[in-house]
């Protein structure tokens, strides 16, 4: 069995992940971590009263051995969490978005030094991975593109990691270009959204949404829209399970679930 520690287990994604690990016969939950936790054992929570799993609220007090560290925390904490996991030879599987390019560079370097596999994925949904791949293919023929991502109103970072990764994948097959009227003027600052190599990215934050993305392409006399919707966080769990199962066969930090599919 693959021994797993879940960081951020009290959040919505963390809770869903914790339940998936407990239900999967291939995995063993050996610890959970949250800075807001006051419990010593997960069985102090009614939902988990039949389990016996230690709870930690400080990194330096984590004293168990795990094969995989799953991180669904917040952008400000994930970097230090993943550095800690690598130092303890736990393969990180990270769904927390908002890490900088400098963060990724340092984590990749540490992972290579340890010869330890790891994954940072902006999205664990299979449909989201397919959307990114389809969008990259479409951009070869329709280079005028805008991205709209829609998430729940509790999300901390904007744009989403999925939208930013979509733009980066498109940029690999598309030359930077100015879109729209070169003399356009925003009468309200930000009306045209964030800019990435000429592409525009728009972020929507509303209650009731989970995770959704549209990639809009425009051409002469035609348009193409690719859309992906995650209606429930359970949709991400198949991707998380794949990552936990496969990451031990690698010796470096990968970015994007597509690297394991």
């Amino acid at each position: 069995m693959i021994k797993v520690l879940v960081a951020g287990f009290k959040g919505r994604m963390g809770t869903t992940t914790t339940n998936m690990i407990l239900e999967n016969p291939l995995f063993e939950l050996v610890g959970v971590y949250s800075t807001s936790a006051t419990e010593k054992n997960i069985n102090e929570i009614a939902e988990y009263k039949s389990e016996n799993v230690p709870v930690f609220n400080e990194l330096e007090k984590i004293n168990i051995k795990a094969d995989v560290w799953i991180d669904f925390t917040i952008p400000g904490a994930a970097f230090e969490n993943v550095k800690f996991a690598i130092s303890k030879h736990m393969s990180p599987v990270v769904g927390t978005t908002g890490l900088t390019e400098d963060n990724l560079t340092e984590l990749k370097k540490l992972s290579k030094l340890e010869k330890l596999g790891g994954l940072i994925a902006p999205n664990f949904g299979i449909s989201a991975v397919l959307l990114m791949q389809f969008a990259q293919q479409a951009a070869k023929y329709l280079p005028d593109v805008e991205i709209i991502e829609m998430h729940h109103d509790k999300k901390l970072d904007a744009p989403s990691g999925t939208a930013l990764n979509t733009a980066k994948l498109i940029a690999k097959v598309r030359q930077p270009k100015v879109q729209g009227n070169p003399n356009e003027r925003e009468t309200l600052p930000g009306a045209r959204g964030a800019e990435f190599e000429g592409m525009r990215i728009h972020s929507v934050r509303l209650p009731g949404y989970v995770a959704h993305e549209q990639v809009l392409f425009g051409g002469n006399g035609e348009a193409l829209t690719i859309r992906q919707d995650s209606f429930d966080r359970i949709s991400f769990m198949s991707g998380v399970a794949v990552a936990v199962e496969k990451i031990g066969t690698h010796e470096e930090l990968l970015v994007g679930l597509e690297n394991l599919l």
Side-chain angles (χ1 to χ4, degrees), residues 101-159:
E101 288 299 325
D102 287 343
N103 291 160
L104 293 176
T105 298
E106 184 172 345
L107 293 174
K108 286 179 180 179
K109 183 178 179 181
L110 291 172
S111 181
K112 275 192 174 181
L113 287 173
E114 290 286 329
K115 294 185 177 180
L116 183 70
L119 176 72
I120 295 176
N123 198 308
F124 281 96
I126 303 300
S127 60
V129 173
L130 291 172
L131 173 140
M132 289 185 274
Q133 293 179 341
F134 295 160
Q136 187 180 48
Q137 289 300 310
K140 295 177 182 178
Y141 309 99
L142 296 167
D144 288 274
V145 53
E146 301 209 7
I147 299 169
I148 305 171
E149 56 94 349
M150 298 153 280
H151 282 77
H152 55 88
D153 59 344
K154 299 294 188 273
K155 186 170 177 60
L156 294 176
D157 56 317

